[in-house]
Amino acid sequence: MIAHIKFADNSKFECTMEEGKRWSQAPANKKIKQVVFVLPDGNCLVLRAFELYNLLIEVTQDIRPIPKRKAEYLYAMGMKNNRVTSYRISLQEYPNSRHRIGDFTRREFEFGKEYNGGSVTGWKGVCNGTV
Amino acid sequence: MSTSVTIYVNTTPNTGGGQDRASVPGNYLGLDLANDKFYFTSGSSAVADGQDEPTTAELNEAATLIESTAVEVPKLIALDKSADLLYEIDGAGSGDDRHVICIAFDGATASIPTLEAWDDSSHSTATIHTLGNGTPANSWIYAVKTTDASPGSSWSGTRIAGTNKLDLDTAPLTGAKDLYFNIYVKIPASYSTGANETPVLTIRYTYN
């Protein structure tokens, strides 16, 4: 399980990568109380008091012999007042990188520019009555 | 299931409208990313369509020579390792060719997928000569998105290296979709350093 959503009506959704339990398949029109993101090292990152929440997995696929597709980062995001707080969690380690698996980097963006200067899909929660 | 990709190359000279993978799947070779590879080369009798995997010496003999004017590397050849067979990708280059390389996504994405070029699979540096020797704008690798339209003749597209990347579509994918791009390498005029380099082309995307 990589994320645990608790809605304002106390219902819950456990997010895994299995069909039917992916983040994109979580209810999209319910106010969220908090989201607990499970980090690769077993610790948890809890986001609450945001209007919208999102979970992304960033993947690379090299066009060359080996390696295989790699999950590079997990992004846990919260949006409030058109500001996105983004936590990028490292899923890979490289010799010339200072980041280790499980390290996270906190950044803030204007809503709509939260990933590579652009927007992402998959936001959950309620924003001024709509999603 | 997570979203994954399969990469196909058009092994025929038919790259215009109606020549997409869904219409003529027999024109496309799926790459085995564990074993297959690309060669940007001038070609030779040994490094040619229908030949077997070339040796290092054969590849060196087929290398593109540095000239006093910028030179586009003439050929892109794909090695099908399992068949020990080379396929020339006729449409690869700066010509008006649309359906050349196909990135087939089997599901939705959360962001626009991108094509990138790096020194290696750590995707952290882009400093080799092919990628502009530390200046991404000087990359020798030119790429253009052709999902929606042909690129036109003598296209220049985007010089990809490091964070200079090519968007493969105009919006995140809402479901399974084939994206297309074309690509070539152009060596600057009178470049002072010869090299045998292996930059890594990478497809990057997100899903949720």
Side-chain angles (χ1 to χ4, degrees), chain B residues 64-122:
Chain B
T64 301
L65 299 180
I66 297 171
E67 300 180 9
S68 59
T69 56
V71 58
E72 178 177 336
V73 178
K75 298 177 186 292
L76 173 60
I77 293 178
L79 167 65
D80 179 352
K81 183 76 172 182
S82 63
D84 193 18
L85 198 61
L86 298 180
Y87 291 88
E88 182 170 345
I89 312 305
D90 296 277
S94 59
D96 190 19
D97 293 280
R98 178 180 177 186
H99 295 112
V100 180
I101 300 176
C102 172
I103 309 297
F105 284 82
D106 68 359
T109 64
S111 59
I112 300 173
T114 55
L115 174 69
E116 305 172 3
W118 298 93
D119 291 342
D120 55 41
S121 291
S122 71

Short mmCIF file of all heavy atoms in Angstrom, two decimals, chain B residues 64-122:
data_model
loop_
_atom_site.label_atom_id
_atom_site.label_comp_id
_atom_site.label_asym_id
_atom_site.label_seq_id
_atom_site.Cartn_x
_atom_site.Cartn_y
_atom_site.Cartn_z
N THR B 64 30.59 8.20 -39.37
CA THR B 64 30.43 9.42 -40.16
C THR B 64 31.65 10.30 -39.95
O THR B 64 32.06 10.55 -38.82
CB THR B 64 29.16 10.16 -39.73
OG1 THR B 64 28.04 9.29 -39.94
CG2 THR B 64 28.96 11.43 -40.54
N LEU B 65 32.20 10.80 -41.04
CA LEU B 65 33.39 11.63 -40.95
C LEU B 65 33.02 13.08 -40.66
O LEU B 65 31.99 13.59 -41.13
CB LEU B 65 34.17 11.56 -42.26
CG LEU B 65 34.69 10.16 -42.65
CD1 LEU B 65 35.44 10.22 -43.97
CD2 LEU B 65 35.54 9.56 -41.55
N ILE B 66 33.86 13.73 -39.87
CA ILE B 66 33.69 15.16 -39.61
C ILE B 66 34.09 15.92 -40.86
O ILE B 66 35.12 15.64 -41.47
CB ILE B 66 34.55 15.58 -38.40
CG1 ILE B 66 34.07 14.84 -37.14
CG2 ILE B 66 34.49 17.08 -38.21
CD1 ILE B 66 34.97 15.02 -35.94
N GLU B 67 33.27 16.90 -41.24
CA GLU B 67 33.53 17.66 -42.46
C GLU B 67 33.59 19.15 -42.13
O GLU B 67 33.34 19.57 -41.01
CB GLU B 67 32.43 17.37 -43.49
CG GLU B 67 32.34 15.90 -43.87
CD GLU B 67 31.26 15.63 -44.90
OE1 GLU B 67 30.68 16.60 -45.44
OE2 GLU B 67 30.98 14.46 -45.16
N SER B 68 33.90 19.93 -43.14
CA SER B 68 34.02 21.38 -42.95
C SER B 68 32.66 22.06 -42.87
O SER B 68 32.57 23.25 -42.53
CB SER B 68 34.83 22.01 -44.08
OG SER B 68 34.22 21.74 -45.32
N THR B 69 31.61 21.34 -43.20
CA THR B 69 30.25 21.84 -42.97
C THR B 69 29.53 20.82 -42.10
O THR B 69 29.92 19.65 -42.05
CB THR B 69 29.49 22.00 -44.29
OG1 THR B 69 29.50 20.74 -44.99
CG2 THR B 69 30.13 23.08 -45.17
N ALA B 70 28.48 21.27 -41.42
CA ALA B 70 27.72 20.36 -40.56
C ALA B 70 27.17 19.21 -41.39
O ALA B 70 26.71 19.42 -42.52
CB ALA B 70 26.57 21.11 -39.89
N VAL B 71 27.25 18.01 -40.87
CA VAL B 71 26.82 16.84 -41.63
C VAL B 71 25.81 16.02 -40.83
O VAL B 71 26.02 15.69 -39.66
CB VAL B 71 28.04 15.98 -42.02
CG1 VAL B 71 28.83 15.54 -40.79
CG2 VAL B 71 27.62 14.77 -42.82
N GLU B 72 24.70 15.72 -41.47
CA GLU B 72 23.69 14.86 -40.85
C GLU B 72 24.13 13.42 -41.03
O GLU B 72 24.48 12.98 -42.13
CB GLU B 72 22.33 15.08 -41.52
CG GLU B 72 21.22 14.20 -40.96
CD GLU B 72 19.87 14.48 -41.58
OE1 GLU B 72 19.66 15.60 -42.08
OE2 GLU B 72 19.01 13.58 -41.55
N VAL B 73 24.15 12.68 -39.93
CA VAL B 73 24.49 11.26 -40.01
C VAL B 73 23.43 10.58 -40.87
O VAL B 73 22.24 10.67 -40.56
CB VAL B 73 24.55 10.64 -38.60
CG1 VAL B 73 24.85 9.15 -38.69
CG2 VAL B 73 25.60 11.35 -37.76
N PRO B 74 23.84 9.90 -41.94
CA PRO B 74 22.87 9.49 -42.96
C PRO B 74 21.83 8.46 -42.53
O PRO B 74 20.70 8.52 -43.01
CB PRO B 74 23.76 8.89 -44.06
CG PRO B 74 25.10 9.49 -43.84
CD PRO B 74 25.21 9.67 -42.36
N LYS B 75 22.20 7.54 -41.64
CA LYS B 75 21.31 6.41 -41.40
C LYS B 75 21.06 6.17 -39.91
O LYS B 75 21.93 6.39 -39.07
CB LYS B 75 21.92 5.13 -41.99
CG LYS B 75 22.12 5.17 -43.50
CD LYS B 75 22.78 3.90 -43.98
CE LYS B 75 23.14 3.98 -45.46
NZ LYS B 75 21.91 3.99 -46.30
N LEU B 76 19.85 5.70 -39.63
CA LEU B 76 19.51 5.12 -38.32
C LEU B 76 19.17 3.66 -38.58
O LEU B 76 18.28 3.37 -39.38
CB LEU B 76 18.34 5.85 -37.68
CG LEU B 76 17.80 5.22 -36.38
CD1 LEU B 76 18.87 5.18 -35.30
CD2 LEU B 76 16.57 5.98 -35.87
N ILE B 77 19.91 2.79 -37.92
CA ILE B 77 19.71 1.36 -38.12
C ILE B 77 19.40 0.72 -36.78
O ILE B 77 20.05 1.01 -35.78
CB ILE B 77 20.96 0.72 -38.76
CG1 ILE B 77 21.13 1.25 -40.19
CG2 ILE B 77 20.89 -0.79 -38.75
CD1 ILE B 77 22.35 0.74 -40.91
N ALA B 78 18.38 -0.12 -36.77
CA ALA B 78 17.98 -0.83 -35.55
C ALA B 78 18.47 -2.27 -35.63
O ALA B 78 18.37 -2.92 -36.66
CB ALA B 78 16.47 -0.80 -35.39
N LEU B 79 18.99 -2.74 -34.52
CA LEU B 79 19.42 -4.14 -34.41
C LEU B 79 18.33 -4.93 -33.70
O LEU B 79 17.97 -4.61 -32.56
CB LEU B 79 20.72 -4.25 -33.61
CG LEU B 79 21.11 -5.67 -33.16
CD1 LEU B 79 21.41 -6.56 -34.36
CD2 LEU B 79 22.27 -5.65 -32.19
N ASP B 80 17.80 -5.93 -34.37
CA ASP B 80 16.92 -6.90 -33.74
C ASP B 80 17.81 -8.03 -33.25
O ASP B 80 18.21 -8.91 -34.02
CB ASP B 80 15.88 -7.41 -34.75
CG ASP B 80 14.94 -8.45 -34.15
OD1 ASP B 80 15.17 -8.90 -33.01
OD2 ASP B 80 13.97 -8.83 -34.83
N LYS B 81 18.16 -7.98 -31.99
CA LYS B 81 19.16 -8.91 -31.42
C LYS B 81 18.71 -10.35 -31.53
O LYS B 81 19.50 -11.24 -31.85
CB LYS B 81 19.42 -8.53 -29.97
CG LYS B 81 20.50 -9.36 -29.28
CD LYS B 81 21.88 -8.97 -29.71
CE LYS B 81 22.93 -9.67 -28.84
NZ LYS B 81 24.30 -9.28 -29.21
N SER B 82 17.44 -10.59 -31.28
CA SER B 82 16.96 -11.97 -31.27
C SER B 82 17.07 -12.62 -32.64
O SER B 82 17.27 -13.82 -32.75
CB SER B 82 15.52 -12.02 -30.76
OG SER B 82 14.67 -11.30 -31.63
N ALA B 83 16.92 -11.81 -33.68
CA ALA B 83 17.02 -12.33 -35.04
C ALA B 83 18.40 -12.09 -35.63
O ALA B 83 18.67 -12.56 -36.75
CB ALA B 83 15.97 -11.66 -35.93
N ASP B 84 19.25 -11.39 -34.90
CA ASP B 84 20.58 -11.02 -35.39
C ASP B 84 20.46 -10.36 -36.76
O ASP B 84 21.09 -10.78 -37.74
CB ASP B 84 21.51 -12.23 -35.45
CG ASP B 84 22.98 -11.83 -35.65
OD1 ASP B 84 23.30 -10.67 -35.39
OD2 ASP B 84 23.78 -12.69 -36.09
N LEU B 85 19.64 -9.32 -36.81
CA LEU B 85 19.29 -8.71 -38.09
C LEU B 85 19.21 -7.20 -37.94
O LEU B 85 18.66 -6.70 -36.97
CB LEU B 85 17.95 -9.26 -38.57
CG LEU B 85 17.58 -9.10 -40.04
CD1 LEU B 85 18.59 -9.82 -40.92
CD2 LEU B 85 16.19 -9.65 -40.27
N LEU B 86 19.78 -6.50 -38.91
CA LEU B 86 19.70 -5.04 -38.93
C LEU B 86 18.55 -4.57 -39.82
O LEU B 86 18.30 -5.14 -40.88
CB LEU B 86 21.01 -4.45 -39.48
CG LEU B 86 22.29 -4.72 -38.68
CD1 LEU B 86 23.49 -4.06 -39.37
CD2 LEU B 86 22.15 -4.23 -37.26
N TYR B 87 17.85 -3.54 -39.35
CA TYR B 87 16.79 -2.90 -40.11
C TYR B 87 17.13 -1.42 -40.25
O TYR B 87 17.32 -0.74 -39.25
CB TYR B 87 15.45 -3.01 -39.40
CG TYR B 87 14.86 -4.40 -39.34
CD1 TYR B 87 15.18 -5.26 -38.29
CD2 TYR B 87 13.98 -4.85 -40.32
CE1 TYR B 87 14.63 -6.53 -38.23
CE2 TYR B 87 13.43 -6.12 -40.26
CZ TYR B 87 13.76 -6.96 -39.21
OH TYR B 87 13.21 -8.21 -39.15
N GLU B 88 17.19 -0.92 -41.49
CA GLU B 88 17.37 0.51 -41.69
C GLU B 88 16.04 1.21 -41.49
O GLU B 88 15.02 0.80 -42.07
CB GLU B 88 17.92 0.82 -43.08
CG GLU B 88 18.16 2.32 -43.29
CD GLU B 88 18.92 2.64 -44.55
OE1 GLU B 88 19.51 1.73 -45.16
OE2 GLU B 88 18.92 3.83 -44.94
N ILE B 89 16.03 2.24 -40.67
CA ILE B 89 14.82 3.02 -40.42
C ILE B 89 14.80 4.13 -41.48
O ILE B 89 15.33 5.22 -41.28
CB ILE B 89 14.81 3.60 -39.00
CG1 ILE B 89 15.16 2.52 -37.97
CG2 ILE B 89 13.45 4.24 -38.69
CD1 ILE B 89 14.29 1.29 -38.03
N ASP B 90 14.18 3.80 -42.62
CA ASP B 90 14.26 4.68 -43.79
C ASP B 90 13.78 6.10 -43.49
O ASP B 90 14.30 7.07 -44.03
CB ASP B 90 13.44 4.11 -44.95
CG ASP B 90 14.00 2.78 -45.43
OD1 ASP B 90 14.95 2.82 -46.23
OD2 ASP B 90 13.49 1.73 -45.01
N GLY B 91 12.76 6.23 -42.67
CA GLY B 91 12.16 7.54 -42.46
C GLY B 91 12.92 8.43 -41.49
O GLY B 91 12.65 9.63 -41.41
N ALA B 92 13.86 7.87 -40.74
CA ALA B 92 14.59 8.68 -39.76
C ALA B 92 15.48 9.68 -40.47
O ALA B 92 16.21 9.34 -41.39
CB ALA B 92 15.44 7.78 -38.86
N GLY B 93 15.38 10.95 -40.03
CA GLY B 93 16.18 11.98 -40.66
C GLY B 93 15.41 13.28 -40.73
O GLY B 93 14.29 13.39 -40.21
N SER B 94 15.98 14.26 -41.40
CA SER B 94 15.39 15.60 -41.44
C SER B 94 14.36 15.76 -42.55
O SER B 94 13.89 16.87 -42.81
CB SER B 94 16.49 16.65 -41.61
OG SER B 94 17.20 16.41 -42.82
N GLY B 95 13.98 14.67 -43.19
CA GLY B 95 12.96 14.75 -44.24
C GLY B 95 11.56 14.79 -43.67
O GLY B 95 11.34 14.67 -42.46
N ASP B 96 10.58 14.94 -44.54
CA ASP B 96 9.19 15.08 -44.14
C ASP B 96 8.57 13.71 -43.88
O ASP B 96 7.69 13.26 -44.61
CB ASP B 96 8.42 15.83 -45.24
CG ASP B 96 7.03 16.22 -44.81
OD1 ASP B 96 6.77 16.25 -43.59
OD2 ASP B 96 6.18 16.47 -45.70
N ASP B 97 9.02 13.05 -42.83
CA ASP B 97 8.57 11.71 -42.49
C ASP B 97 7.91 11.71 -41.12
O ASP B 97 8.50 12.18 -40.14
CB ASP B 97 9.75 10.73 -42.48
CG ASP B 97 10.32 10.54 -43.87
OD1 ASP B 97 9.73 9.76 -44.63
OD2 ASP B 97 11.34 11.18 -44.19
N ARG B 98 6.71 11.18 -41.07
CA ARG B 98 5.89 11.29 -39.86
C ARG B 98 5.91 10.05 -38.97
O ARG B 98 6.26 10.10 -37.81
CB ARG B 98 4.44 11.62 -40.26
CG ARG B 98 3.49 11.72 -39.10
CD ARG B 98 2.10 12.06 -39.56
NE ARG B 98 1.16 12.08 -38.44
CZ ARG B 98 -0.15 12.23 -38.56
NH1 ARG B 98 -0.68 12.38 -39.77
NH2 ARG B 98 -0.91 12.23 -37.51
N HIS B 99 5.50 8.93 -39.55
CA HIS B 99 5.37 7.71 -38.74
C HIS B 99 6.67 6.93 -38.80
O HIS B 99 6.82 6.03 -39.63
CB HIS B 99 4.19 6.89 -39.23
CG HIS B 99 2.88 7.58 -39.04
ND1 HIS B 99 2.12 8.03 -40.10
CD2 HIS B 99 2.20 7.91 -37.91
CE1 HIS B 99 1.02 8.60 -39.63
NE2 HIS B 99 1.04 8.55 -38.31
N VAL B 100 7.61 7.28 -37.91
CA VAL B 100 8.95 6.69 -37.94
C VAL B 100 9.18 5.84 -36.70
O VAL B 100 9.41 4.65 -36.77
CB VAL B 100 10.02 7.79 -38.07
CG1 VAL B 100 11.41 7.17 -38.10
CG2 VAL B 100 9.78 8.63 -39.33
N ILE B 101 9.15 6.48 -35.53
CA ILE B 101 9.33 5.77 -34.26
C ILE B 101 8.05 5.95 -33.45
O ILE B 101 7.59 7.09 -33.27
CB ILE B 101 10.56 6.27 -33.48
CG1 ILE B 101 11.82 6.06 -34.33
CG2 ILE B 101 10.68 5.55 -32.14
CD1 ILE B 101 13.08 6.61 -33.72
N CYS B 102 7.52 4.85 -32.97
CA CYS B 102 6.23 4.85 -32.27
C CYS B 102 6.44 4.46 -30.80
O CYS B 102 7.07 3.43 -30.52
CB CYS B 102 5.28 3.87 -32.94
SG CYS B 102 3.75 3.59 -32.05
N ILE B 103 5.94 5.30 -29.91
CA ILE B 103 5.95 4.98 -28.48
C ILE B 103 4.51 4.63 -28.12
O ILE B 103 3.64 5.50 -28.11
CB ILE B 103 6.44 6.17 -27.63
CG1 ILE B 103 7.77 6.72 -28.18
CG2 ILE B 103 6.56 5.76 -26.18
CD1 ILE B 103 8.90 5.74 -28.12
N ALA B 104 4.26 3.37 -27.86
CA ALA B 104 2.91 2.90 -27.61
C ALA B 104 2.66 2.81 -26.11
O ALA B 104 3.25 1.97 -25.42
CB ALA B 104 2.70 1.54 -28.27
N PHE B 105 1.79 3.70 -25.61
CA PHE B 105 1.40 3.68 -24.20
C PHE B 105 0.17 2.79 -24.06
O PHE B 105 -0.78 2.89 -24.86
CB PHE B 105 1.08 5.09 -23.72
CG PHE B 105 2.30 5.93 -23.47
CD1 PHE B 105 2.93 6.58 -24.53
CD2 PHE B 105 2.81 6.09 -22.20
CE1 PHE B 105 4.06 7.35 -24.32
CE2 PHE B 105 3.94 6.87 -21.98
CZ PHE B 105 4.56 7.50 -23.03
N ASP B 106 0.15 1.99 -23.00
CA ASP B 106 -0.99 1.08 -22.80
C ASP B 106 -2.00 1.63 -21.80
O ASP B 106 -2.94 0.92 -21.44
CB ASP B 106 -0.52 -0.31 -22.40
CG ASP B 106 0.11 -0.34 -21.01
OD1 ASP B 106 0.21 0.72 -20.36
OD2 ASP B 106 0.51 -1.43 -20.58
N GLY B 107 -1.82 2.88 -21.37
CA GLY B 107 -2.75 3.46 -20.42
C GLY B 107 -2.54 4.96 -20.30
O GLY B 107 -1.73 5.55 -21.01
N ALA B 108 -3.31 5.55 -19.39
CA ALA B 108 -3.26 7.00 -19.21
C ALA B 108 -1.97 7.43 -18.51
O ALA B 108 -1.30 6.65 -17.85
CB ALA B 108 -4.46 7.45 -18.38
N THR B 109 -1.65 8.71 -18.68
CA THR B 109 -0.54 9.31 -17.95
C THR B 109 -1.05 10.53 -17.20
O THR B 109 -2.12 11.07 -17.51
CB THR B 109 0.61 9.74 -18.88
OG1 THR B 109 0.14 10.77 -19.76
CG2 THR B 109 1.11 8.57 -19.71
N ALA B 110 -0.30 10.96 -16.20
CA ALA B 110 -0.69 12.15 -15.42
C ALA B 110 -0.04 13.41 -15.94
O ALA B 110 -0.45 14.52 -15.56
CB ALA B 110 -0.34 11.95 -13.95
N SER B 111 0.94 13.28 -16.79
CA SER B 111 1.64 14.43 -17.36
C SER B 111 1.97 14.11 -18.81
O SER B 111 1.76 12.98 -19.28
CB SER B 111 2.92 14.72 -16.57
OG SER B 111 3.78 13.60 -16.59
N ILE B 112 2.47 15.11 -19.53
CA ILE B 112 2.84 14.90 -20.93
C ILE B 112 4.13 14.08 -20.99
O ILE B 112 5.14 14.49 -20.41
CB ILE B 112 3.05 16.25 -21.65
CG1 ILE B 112 1.77 17.07 -21.61
CG2 ILE B 112 3.52 16.03 -23.08
CD1 ILE B 112 1.93 18.49 -22.15
N PRO B 113 4.14 12.95 -21.67
CA PRO B 113 5.38 12.17 -21.79
C PRO B 113 6.44 12.94 -22.57
O PRO B 113 6.12 13.73 -23.47
CB PRO B 113 4.94 10.92 -22.56
CG PRO B 113 3.47 10.84 -22.36
CD PRO B 113 3.01 12.28 -22.30
N THR B 114 7.69 12.70 -22.21
CA THR B 114 8.78 13.42 -22.86
C THR B 114 9.84 12.46 -23.37
O THR B 114 10.01 11.35 -22.85
CB THR B 114 9.46 14.41 -21.90
OG1 THR B 114 9.90 13.71 -20.72
CG2 THR B 114 8.49 15.50 -21.47
N LEU B 115 10.57 12.90 -24.41
CA LEU B 115 11.75 12.21 -24.92
C LEU B 115 12.97 12.99 -24.49
O LEU B 115 13.03 14.21 -24.69
CB LEU B 115 11.70 12.12 -26.46
CG LEU B 115 12.94 11.54 -27.13
CD1 LEU B 115 13.07 10.05 -26.82
CD2 LEU B 115 12.89 11.76 -28.64
N GLU B 116 13.93 12.30 -23.90
CA GLU B 116 15.10 12.96 -23.36
C GLU B 116 16.36 12.24 -23.81
O GLU B 116 16.31 11.10 -24.27
CB GLU B 116 15.04 12.96 -21.82
CG GLU B 116 13.75 13.57 -21.28
CD GLU B 116 13.61 13.39 -19.78
OE1 GLU B 116 14.53 12.85 -19.13
OE2 GLU B 116 12.56 13.81 -19.26
N ALA B 117 17.51 12.91 -23.66
CA ALA B 117 18.81 12.30 -23.98
C ALA B 117 19.79 12.61 -22.86
O ALA B 117 19.91 13.77 -22.45
CB ALA B 117 19.33 12.84 -25.31
N TRP B 118 20.46 11.59 -22.37
CA TRP B 118 21.38 11.72 -21.24
C TRP B 118 22.66 10.95 -21.52
O TRP B 118 22.72 10.10 -22.41
CB TRP B 118 20.72 11.19 -19.96
CG TRP B 118 19.49 11.92 -19.56
CD1 TRP B 118 18.21 11.61 -19.88
CD2 TRP B 118 19.42 13.09 -18.74
NE1 TRP B 118 17.35 12.52 -19.32
CE2 TRP B 118 18.06 13.44 -18.61
CE3 TRP B 118 20.37 13.89 -18.09
CZ2 TRP B 118 17.63 14.55 -17.88
CZ3 TRP B 118 19.95 14.99 -17.36
CH2 TRP B 118 18.60 15.30 -17.26
N ASP B 119 23.68 11.23 -20.70
CA ASP B 119 24.94 10.51 -20.85
C ASP B 119 24.76 9.01 -20.56
O ASP B 119 25.39 8.17 -21.20
CB ASP B 119 25.99 11.06 -19.89
CG ASP B 119 26.45 12.47 -20.26
OD1 ASP B 119 26.23 12.88 -21.41
OD2 ASP B 119 27.03 13.15 -19.39
N ASP B 120 23.97 8.71 -19.54
CA ASP B 120 23.77 7.31 -19.15
C ASP B 120 22.43 7.15 -18.45
O ASP B 120 21.65 8.11 -18.40
CB ASP B 120 24.92 6.84 -18.24
CG ASP B 120 25.11 7.72 -17.01
OD1 ASP B 120 24.10 8.14 -16.43
OD2 ASP B 120 26.27 8.00 -16.65
N SER B 121 22.20 5.98 -17.92
CA SER B 121 20.88 5.67 -17.36
C SER B 121 20.64 6.28 -15.98
O SER B 121 19.58 6.07 -15.41
CB SER B 121 20.69 4.16 -17.28
OG SER B 121 20.56 3.62 -18.56
N SER B 122 21.60 7.02 -15.44
CA SER B 122 21.32 7.74 -14.21
C SER B 122 20.54 9.02 -14.49
O SER B 122 20.02 9.65 -13.56
CB SER B 122 22.62 8.08 -13.48
OG SER B 122 23.34 9.10 -14.17
#
